[in-house]
């Protein structure tokens, strides 16, 4: 966490991607990623839910254990799923479970409204990453994944949220789908690093859902993602090759 802060001070960009399993965590670590997030995006890209609002703590614990078995150099952060941090006491209990499962830090969504939970977790000795801007756990109330910080009033609210999260003790904060101007302003105002997702190039680092980056969830890719691979196409080709080869090959006659 200190290293991430030093990277911000040196102007070196921070890299973060999600993993939900052991091989992906190992591959990310071998590639030199700074932060691995066991995100509750798990719900969509692995478990087949419509959004993150159905993800349970049990599911997060299961996948956090798998990622932590990779024993990475990268910092492993795990998401607190919805309704596991409604009160400060519940937040601490849930965060402790994620740490017991192998997380080195936890992340929760919200700014000023979550200060009590953030302080309680940090006071318990658990490092916390904040998450402001578009909050996927509130997508149903919001009616979609909309850009935040386009109006002056929204930009001020976001800056207040960012200061609140930093003041409560977070070591970094994710800015999700925030207008690039507001993201730049928040990044300049905070001493903790900002990790942007769909928020322009002005943050201290970038975070993405790995499945989006590598083309492993071909049915939906957010507009702001430029995939670097088409793993789904590779998988389809390998599956077809296996099916064709097996159907073409004669069954060996029994002796
Ligand atoms: O759940 C997740 O993967 C996240 C990232 C998109 C930041 O919160």
């Amino acid at each position: 966490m200190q290293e991430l802060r030093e990277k911000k001070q040196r102007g070196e960009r921070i890299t973060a991607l999600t993993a939900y399993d052991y091989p992906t965590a190992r591959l990310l670590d071998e590639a030199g990623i700074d932060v691995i997030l066991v995100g509750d995006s798990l719900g969509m890209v692995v478990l087949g839910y419509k959004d993150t609002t159905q993800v349970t703590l049990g599911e997060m614990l299961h996948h956090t254990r798998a990622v932590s078995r990779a024993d990475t150099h990268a910092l492993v952060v795990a998401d607190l799923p919805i309704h596991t941090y409604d009160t400060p006491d519940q937040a601490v209990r849930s965060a402790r479970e994620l740490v017991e499962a192998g997380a080195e830090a936890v992340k929760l969504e919200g700014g000023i409204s979550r200060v009590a939970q953030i302080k309680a977790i940090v006071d318990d000795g658990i490092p916390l990453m904040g998450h402001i801007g578009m909050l996927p756990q509130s997508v149903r109330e919001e009616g979609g994944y909309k850009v935040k910080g386009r109006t002056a009033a929204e930009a001020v609210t976001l800056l207040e949220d960012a200061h609140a999260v930093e003041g409560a003790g977070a070591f970094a904060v994710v800015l999700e789908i925030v207008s690039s101007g507001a993201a730049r302003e928040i990044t300049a105002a905070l001493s903790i690093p900002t990790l942007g997702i769909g928020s322009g190039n002005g943050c201290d680092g970038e975070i993405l859902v790995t499945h989006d980056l590598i083309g492993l969830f071909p049915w939906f890719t957010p507009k702001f993602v430029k995939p670097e691979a088409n793993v789904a196409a590779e998988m389809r080709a390998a599956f077809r090759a296996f099916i064709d080869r097996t159907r073409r090959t004669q069954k060996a006659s029994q002796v």
Side-chain angles (χ1 to χ4, degrees), residues 111-112 131-135 147-165 173-179 182-183 186 190:
I112 291 175
H131 184 154
I132 62 170
M134 200 286 140
L135 305 179
V147 182
K148 297 282 178 174
R150 273 199 174 137
T151 65
E154 257 185 26
V156 168
T157 304
L158 277 175
L159 188 58
E160 286 168 357
D161 276 334
H163 278 301
V165 165
V173 63
V174 169
L175 306 183
E176 178 153 358
I177 326 184
V178 168
S179 76
I186 293 167
L190 298 189

Side-chain angles (χ1 to χ4, degrees), residues 23-60:
T24 309
R26 273 194 74 167
L27 290 168
L28 286 174
D29 203 44
E30 285 168 17
I33 201 83
D34 296 311
V35 177
I36 295 176
L37 173 68
V38 189
D40 61 356
S41 49
L42 162 79
M44 284 116 87
V45 298
V46 174
L47 302 180
Y49 298 145
K50 210 163 160 291
D51 53 45
T52 61
T53 64
Q54 291 170 70
V55 177
T56 65
L57 186 57
E59 287 163 345
M60 289 304 300

Side-chain angles (χ1 to χ4, degrees), residues 52-248:
T52 61
T53 64
Q54 291 170 70
V55 177
T56 65
L57 186 57
E59 287 163 345
M60 289 304 300
L61 293 172
H62 178 78
H63 289 272
T64 301
R65 284 187 202 107
V67 167
S68 79
R69 278 180 210 117
D71 199 15
T72 59
H73 297 282
L75 180 74
V76 175
V77 182
D79 262 339
L80 281 159
I82 191 167
H83 296 317
T84 64
Y85 55 98
D86 290 342
T87 65
D89 281 352
Q90 188 198 21
V92 171
R93 279 199 306 277
S94 307
R96 282 183 186 166
E97 286 198 59
L98 286 170
V99 169
E100 273 161 33
E104 293 164 288
V106 299
K107 173 165 83 59
L108 63 73
E109 296 183 8
I112 291 175
S113 64
R114 300 296 186 181
V115 159
Q117 282 88 334
I118 297 174
K119 275 192 179 141
I121 291 172
V122 173
D123 286 350
D124 201 54
I126 299 173
L128 183 125
M129 179 181 277
H131 184 154
I132 62 170
M134 200 286 140
L135 305 179
Q137 291 174 8
S138 308
V139 66
R140 293 186 182 192
E141 294 90 308
E142 294 271 328
Y145 297 88
K146 296 176 188 154
V147 182
K148 297 282 178 174
R150 273 199 174 137
T151 65
E154 257 185 26
V156 168
T157 304
L158 277 175
L159 188 58
E160 286 168 357
D161 276 334
H163 278 301
V165 165
E166 176 171 56
F171 71 88
V173 63
V174 169
L175 306 183
E176 178 153 358
I177 326 184
V178 168
S179 76
S180 56
R184 269 200 310 275
E185 200 186 330
I186 293 167
T187 301
L190 298 189
S191 46
I192 58 171
T194 59
L195 296 177
I197 170 162
S199 301
N201 290 327
C203 294
D204 296 306
E206 284 289 317
I207 184 162
L208 276 184
V209 170
T210 293
H211 287 54
D212 296 337
L213 177 74
I214 66 173
L216 185 50
F217 195 79
W219 308 280
F220 174 74
T221 307
K223 278 196 213 113
F224 55 81
V225 176
K226 283 196 209 91
E228 295 289 349
N230 191 343
V231 171
E234 291 283 314
M235 288 172 78
R236 282 184 175 130
F239 299 156
R240 282 193 199 116
F242 168 79
I243 292 165
D244 291 348
R245 188 180 67 202
T246 304
R247 286 180 181 158
R248 269 199 324 268

